[in-house]
Amino acid sequence: MHCYGHSANQPVRVVQYNINTEELYSYLKEFIHMLYFRHLLVNPRDRRVVIIESVLCPSHFRDTLTRVLFKHFEVPSVLFAPSHLMSLLTLGINSAMVLDCGYTESLVLPIYEGIPILSCWGSLPLGGKAIHKELEYQLLEQCTVDTGLAKGQSLPSVMGSVPEDIVEDIKVRTCFVSDLQRGLKIQAAKFNIDGTAERPSPPPDVDYPLDGEKILHVVGPIRDSVVEILFEQDNEETSVATLILDSLVQCPIDTRKQLAENLVVIGGTAMLPGFLHRLMAEIRYLVEKPKYKEALATKTFRIHTPPAKPNCVAWLGGAIFGALQDILGSRSVSKEYYSQTGRIPDWCCLNNPPLEMMFDVGKAPPPLMKRAFSTEK
């Protein structure tokens, strides 16, 4: 998440562990004010808020965001909903193995009968950020630039580093995921332990205009090799595909067949051309290996196609959930509850009030489940 400050138009990354809480409060207040009064044009006191979050969202961030919404904007209620669960609402199913392959990490979480199985989640730092880092390294290492003064100059001599927005644009416009057999050959040629592996023929080179005078020559081998880091198994034999299988092995045995036949993939990195086809091929290839062949009896895997782009599926599910007035009213945390307790429960605790509230004689429980209707006609 990025917020923009008044002092400069440079984005400020606010989801990080070392940012000062008061500074974060200020950035969020300014950012949400812009959303309400420049884009949405609604009164925050009239609208309930549904926030789609990752299960790895830092606690201090969600606490600060809640404080901004309740104390500064005085919203009637707030609900933090897990992105993996919300994505299932777009499909009308209640059990699935959900993989969120986003910017910072790839996170898999099984959902069974509408309940996230938190003990079986898995995560790896493989996502858009890792691809950008690898792509920038290879661009600086292998690519040349034509300028108005000379042709074929090395990229580091023209610019010391490539801005991430340009790296991302090059990734989106030129890079793709190879099929399984080609990908295995690319990996073998990259490591080339015995010196005999040959790389398959690369795709064509691409010219990318950096500005009016500079043209970057993106060599073909970069286009299909940078994404391989998602599927290369490291020293612990883990990759994006093994995330799903390892999580499946941890799940209760009577849930595995249903979860394996209901795979849902969300996140911006999943939008790369060929990603879903390669992921399915990797799973079918790995499940025949001894590590998984004995543990998993099921060999049938199916991927659902949500009715939205992978990077928008969770928000579409949140919008559907927000339209279910009865359910939203019973799951949201009201302003009165927050003002009495100063805390916001996790999703799994919303149906269970805190023990001190249940057994404290003479004290009325805070209105956690209070309906908060919109006052707009």
Side-chain angles (χ1 to χ4, degrees), residues 130-151:
I131 296 176
H132 295 170
K133 184 178 179 181
E134 176 71 11
L135 179 56
E136 182 183 11
Y137 172 77
Q138 293 200 27
L139 288 173
L140 293 170
E141 190 80 13
Q142 302 181 36
C143 294
T144 59
V145 178
D146 292 347
T147 63
L149 302 175
K151 292 188 176 182

Side-chain angles (χ1 to χ4, degrees), residues 268-323:
T269 303
M271 297 174 68
L272 285 166
F275 180 87
L276 293 180
H277 182 271
R278 173 65 180 278
L279 179 65
M280 184 61 75
E282 287 275 346
I283 290 174
R284 287 172 176 157
Y285 171 71
L286 291 170
V287 80
E288 295 297 334
K289 292 196 170 185
K291 180 180 178 181
Y292 301 109
K293 192 170 185 177
E294 297 176 1
L296 294 175
T298 179
K299 298 294 185 290
T300 305
F301 294 87
R302 297 191 183 94
I303 294 183
H304 284 274
T305 304
K309 292 182 178 180
N311 61 340
C312 300
V313 172
W315 281 273
L316 177 60
I320 294 172
F321 192 84

Side-chain angles (χ1 to χ4, degrees), residues 49-55 79-96 98-100 109-112 114-116 264-266 306-310 312-324 327-328 331-332 347-348 350:
V49 178
V50 178
I51 299 169
I52 309 302
E53 66 164 355
S54 166
V55 293
L79 172 66
F80 282 88
S83 58
H84 291 70
L85 179 60
M86 291 297 105
S87 62
L88 299 192
L89 291 180
T90 64
L91 294 162
I93 59 177
N94 56 9
S95 297
V98 186
L99 171 67
D100 184 356
L109 179 66
I111 311 289
Y112 190 75
I115 299 174
V264 178
V265 183
I266 62 175
K309 292 182 178 180
C312 300
V313 172
W315 281 273
L316 177 60
I320 294 172
F321 192 84
L324 304 173
I327 301 177
L328 179 64
R331 303 286 293 190
S332 297
W347 174 269
C348 58
L350 286 176

Side-chain angles (χ1 to χ4, degrees), residues 29-169:
K29 183 173 68 173
E30 186 178 335
F31 178 68
I32 295 172
H33 184 276
M34 179 182 69
L35 290 181
Y36 272 122
F37 300 109
R38 185 183 299 178
H39 299 290
L40 298 176
L41 302 178
V42 297
N43 185 350
R45 297 182 182 181
D46 295 338
R47 300 297 180 103
R48 289 186 281 186
V49 178
V50 178
I51 299 169
I52 309 302
E53 66 164 355
S54 166
V55 293
L56 299 183
C57 180
S59 296
H60 104 101
F61 176 80
R62 72 200 302 267
D63 291 342
T64 307
L65 178 57
T66 306
R67 189 156 58 95
V68 170
L69 290 169
F70 278 133
K71 300 293 186 183
H72 186 79
F73 292 100
E74 299 182 355
V75 299
S77 67
V78 170
L79 172 66
F80 282 88
S83 58
H84 291 70
L85 179 60
M86 291 297 105
S87 62
L88 299 192
L89 291 180
T90 64
L91 294 162
I93 59 177
N94 56 9
S95 297
M97 179 70 71
V98 186
L99 171 67
D100 184 356
C101 197
Y103 174 74
T104 308
E105 74 267 323
S106 293
L107 174 65
V108 67
L109 179 66
I111 311 289
Y112 190 75
E113 297 297 335
I115 299 174
I117 310 177
L118 296 175
S119 60
C120 302
W121 71 279
S123 177
L124 284 174
L126 297 174
K129 187 176 182 179
I131 296 176
H132 295 170
K133 184 178 179 181
E134 176 71 11
L135 179 56
E136 182 183 11
Y137 172 77
Q138 293 200 27
L139 288 173
L140 293 170
E141 190 80 13
Q142 302 181 36
C143 294
T144 59
V145 178
D146 292 347
T147 63
L149 302 175
K151 292 188 176 182
Q153 298 184 66
S154 65
L155 182 57
S157 66
V158 177
M159 51 199 308
S161 62
V162 186
E164 190 171 19
D165 58 334
I166 293 179
V167 174
E168 182 180 13
D169 195 47

